[in-house]
Amino acid sequence: MEVIDLVATDKTPAIRFRPKEGVLEIMGCSIHENADRFFRPLLDTMEAYAATPAHRTSVRFALTYFNSSSAKYLLDVLKMLDEAHVRGLTQVELVWEYDEGDLDMQEAGEDFMGLLDMPVKMIER
Protein backbone atom coordinates (compact mmCIF):
# COMPACT_ATOMS: atom_id res chain seq x y z
CA MET A 1 0.00 0.00 0.00
CA GLU A 2 1.30 3.41 -0.97
CA VAL A 3 2.52 6.15 1.33
CA ILE A 4 0.88 9.50 0.60
CA ASP A 5 2.84 12.68 1.23
CA LEU A 6 1.22 15.77 -0.30
CA VAL A 7 2.48 19.26 0.47
CA ALA A 8 -0.13 21.90 1.31
CA THR A 9 -0.93 24.71 -1.10
CA ASP A 10 -3.11 27.79 -0.65
CA LYS A 11 -6.15 25.71 -1.66
CA THR A 12 -5.26 22.13 -0.74
CA PRO A 13 -4.31 20.53 2.56
CA ALA A 14 -1.16 18.60 3.35
CA ILE A 15 -1.89 14.89 3.53
CA ARG A 16 0.44 12.39 5.17
CA PHE A 17 -0.56 8.75 5.21
CA ARG A 18 1.71 6.02 6.53
CA PRO A 19 -0.20 2.72 6.20
CA LYS A 20 2.38 0.56 8.01
CA GLU A 21 2.28 2.86 11.04
CA GLY A 22 -1.48 3.44 10.77
CA VAL A 23 -1.12 7.23 10.66
CA LEU A 24 -3.20 9.68 8.62
CA GLU A 25 -2.79 13.46 8.94
CA ILE A 26 -4.68 16.13 7.02
CA MET A 27 -3.61 19.70 7.73
CA GLY A 28 -4.25 23.15 6.30
CA CYS A 29 -6.94 24.66 4.13
CA SER A 30 -9.18 22.70 1.75
CA ILE A 31 -10.95 24.94 -0.75
CA HIS A 32 -10.01 23.45 -4.13
CA GLU A 33 -12.34 23.66 -7.08
CA ASN A 34 -12.33 19.96 -7.95
CA ALA A 35 -12.52 18.08 -4.66
CA ASP A 36 -13.14 14.73 -6.37
CA ARG A 37 -9.91 14.91 -8.37
CA PHE A 38 -7.95 15.85 -5.24
CA PHE A 39 -9.52 13.38 -2.79
CA ARG A 40 -10.18 10.38 -5.09
CA PRO A 41 -6.64 8.92 -4.75
CA LEU A 42 -6.89 9.25 -0.97
CA LEU A 43 -10.33 7.60 -0.90
CA ASP A 44 -9.10 4.71 -3.03
CA THR A 45 -6.06 4.23 -0.80
CA MET A 46 -8.13 4.46 2.38
CA GLU A 47 -10.61 1.90 1.04
CA ALA A 48 -7.76 -0.58 0.51
CA TYR A 49 -6.30 0.30 3.92
CA ALA A 50 -9.62 -0.17 5.72
CA ALA A 51 -9.82 -3.74 4.40
CA THR A 52 -6.50 -4.69 6.06
CA PRO A 53 -5.56 -1.88 8.45
CA ALA A 54 -2.86 -1.61 11.07
CA HIS A 55 -3.88 -2.73 14.58
CA ARG A 56 -4.19 0.92 15.61
CA THR A 57 -4.99 3.87 13.37
CA SER A 58 -4.23 7.42 14.43
CA VAL A 59 -6.01 10.15 12.49
CA ARG A 60 -5.17 13.82 12.94
CA PHE A 61 -7.09 16.64 11.29
CA ALA A 62 -5.66 20.12 11.78
CA LEU A 63 -7.68 22.16 9.33
CA THR A 64 -7.97 25.92 9.26
CA TYR A 65 -10.90 25.90 6.84
CA PHE A 66 -12.68 23.57 4.43
CA ASN A 67 -15.53 24.09 2.00
CA SER A 68 -18.66 21.96 1.68
CA SER A 69 -17.34 19.79 -1.15
CA SER A 70 -14.26 19.00 0.93
CA ALA A 71 -16.46 18.17 3.93
CA LYS A 72 -18.12 15.35 1.98
CA TYR A 73 -14.80 13.71 1.14
CA LEU A 74 -13.38 14.20 4.63
CA LEU A 75 -16.46 12.50 6.04
CA ASP A 76 -16.15 9.68 3.49
CA VAL A 77 -12.59 9.01 4.67
CA LEU A 78 -13.67 9.06 8.31
CA LYS A 79 -16.65 6.78 7.68
CA MET A 80 -14.42 4.16 6.01
CA LEU A 81 -12.13 4.18 9.04
CA ASP A 82 -15.09 4.26 11.42
CA GLU A 83 -16.54 1.13 9.83
CA ALA A 84 -13.20 -0.67 10.21
CA HIS A 85 -13.16 0.50 13.85
CA VAL A 86 -16.69 -0.77 14.52
CA ARG A 87 -15.87 -4.12 12.87
CA GLY A 88 -12.87 -4.49 15.19
CA LEU A 89 -10.30 -4.46 12.40
CA THR A 90 -8.42 -1.50 13.89
CA GLN A 91 -8.65 0.79 16.88
CA VAL A 92 -9.11 4.27 15.43
CA GLU A 93 -8.78 7.55 17.25
CA LEU A 94 -9.37 10.92 15.60
CA VAL A 95 -7.63 13.99 16.97
CA TRP A 96 -9.37 17.15 15.76
CA GLU A 97 -7.13 20.19 16.25
CA TYR A 98 -8.39 23.72 15.80
CA ASP A 99 -6.99 27.17 16.46
CA GLU A 100 -7.84 28.87 19.73
CA GLY A 101 -11.14 30.69 19.41
CA ASP A 102 -12.01 29.18 16.01
CA LEU A 103 -15.62 28.28 16.75
CA ASP A 104 -16.32 27.20 13.16
CA MET A 105 -13.63 24.51 13.20
CA GLN A 106 -14.55 23.51 16.74
CA GLU A 107 -18.19 23.04 15.72
CA ALA A 108 -17.16 21.16 12.56
CA GLY A 109 -15.17 18.74 14.71
CA GLU A 110 -18.10 18.31 17.07
CA ASP A 111 -20.40 17.65 14.10
CA PHE A 112 -18.07 14.94 12.77
CA MET A 113 -17.81 13.49 16.28
CA GLY A 114 -21.58 13.11 16.40
CA LEU A 115 -21.52 11.04 13.21
CA LEU A 116 -18.77 8.62 14.24
CA ASP A 117 -18.41 5.73 16.67
CA MET A 118 -14.62 6.06 16.98
CA PRO A 119 -13.22 8.16 19.81
CA VAL A 120 -12.64 11.81 18.89
CA LYS A 121 -10.33 14.05 20.89
CA MET A 122 -10.85 17.78 20.42
CA ILE A 123 -7.71 19.87 20.91
CA GLU A 124 -7.69 23.65 20.92
CA ARG A 125 -4.19 24.92 20.11
Side-chain angles (χ1 to χ4, degrees):
M1 194 168 314
E2 291 183 31
V3 167
I4 297 175
D5 198 2
L6 299 176
V7 176
T9 69
D10 291 341
K11 295 185 176 189
T12 62
I15 298 179
R16 293 188 194 121
F17 177 57
R18 304 288 183 265
K20 288 182 182 177
E21 292 85 26
V23 174
L24 171 65
E25 297 177 311
I26 301 179
M27 302 153 294
C29 182
S30 187
I31 57 171
H32 29 74
E33 295 172 16
N34 190 334
D36 186 66
R37 184 174 26 165
F38 180 80
F39 282 108
R40 180 59 44 202
L42 176 63
L43 287 174
D44 293 344
T45 300
M46 295 312 299
E47 185 175 10
Y49 175 79
T52 56
H55 178 68
R56 296 177 142 300
T57 302
S58 173
V59 182
R60 178 176 162 252
F61 280 17
L63 295 161
T64 56
Y65 181 80
F66 58 90
N67 60 15
S68 57
S69 61
S70 296
K72 178 213 178 298
Y73 290 95
L74 295 170
L75 184 58
D76 287 348
V77 167
L78 291 174
K79 284 191 169 194
M80 277 186 223
L81 293 172
D82 198 46
E83 183 177 322
H85 175 81
V86 168
R87 292 177 51 210
L89 299 175
T90 183
Q91 294 176 345
V92 183
E93 180 182 58
L94 170 62
V95 173
W96 186 277
E97 294 183 17
Y98 58 96
D99 290 333
E100 183 178 354
D102 187 344
L103 296 179
D104 290 333
M105 285 297 103
Q106 179 183 354
E107 288 176 6
E110 291 168 352
D111 290 344
F112 279 119
M113 185 180 354
L115 299 170
L116 303 168
D117 290 312
M118 71 175 83
V120 178
K121 183 186 295 185
M122 302 288 294
I123 298 179
E124 185 176 37
R125 50 184 175 160

